[in-house]
Amino acid sequence: MINGYYVIAFLSGIIAGFSQILLKKGAMREYSSFIREYMNGYVITGYLMMFLSVFLIMIVYRGMDFMNVPVIEAVGYVLA
């Protein structure tokens, strides 16, 4: 049986990977002003997803051993 914390950790890694992709897409565009560089859909969504990923991984650390979490969390690096 799969522990629910493993699923949340895997989901957190996927969310972190997609948030990095959104942040990269937002950085590749040219903007007319300094404020628009940071107040656009890609950047705001990317940072919200990153905060969600951090919140989920904090939940995972409550229920799993500290040695297992970074291995599962590395999924985000593969996606980005």
Side-chain angles (χ1 to χ4, degrees), residues 9-73:
F10 188 73
L11 181 66
S12 173
I14 291 172
I15 290 172
F18 282 118
S19 70
Q20 289 177 15
I21 291 170
L22 285 175
L23 289 171
K24 287 177 188 176
K25 285 181 85 72
M28 290 176 19
R29 292 182 148 195
E30 298 256 343
Y31 297 98
S32 60
S33 70
F34 180 74
I35 297 296
R36 287 190 177 260
E37 287 184 27
Y38 297 100
M39 293 300 194
N40 63 59
Y42 287 125
V43 173
I44 292 172
T45 306
Y47 278 121
L48 288 175
M49 289 175 69
M50 190 65 73
F51 287 128
L52 175 64
S53 173
V54 169
F55 178 73
L56 288 175
I57 211 66
M58 285 172 32
I59 292 172
V60 168
Y61 272 120
R62 286 185 185 176
M64 287 181 63
D65 292 332
F66 291 123
M67 295 176 66
N68 295 335
V69 177
V71 175
I72 297 171
E73 195 177 356

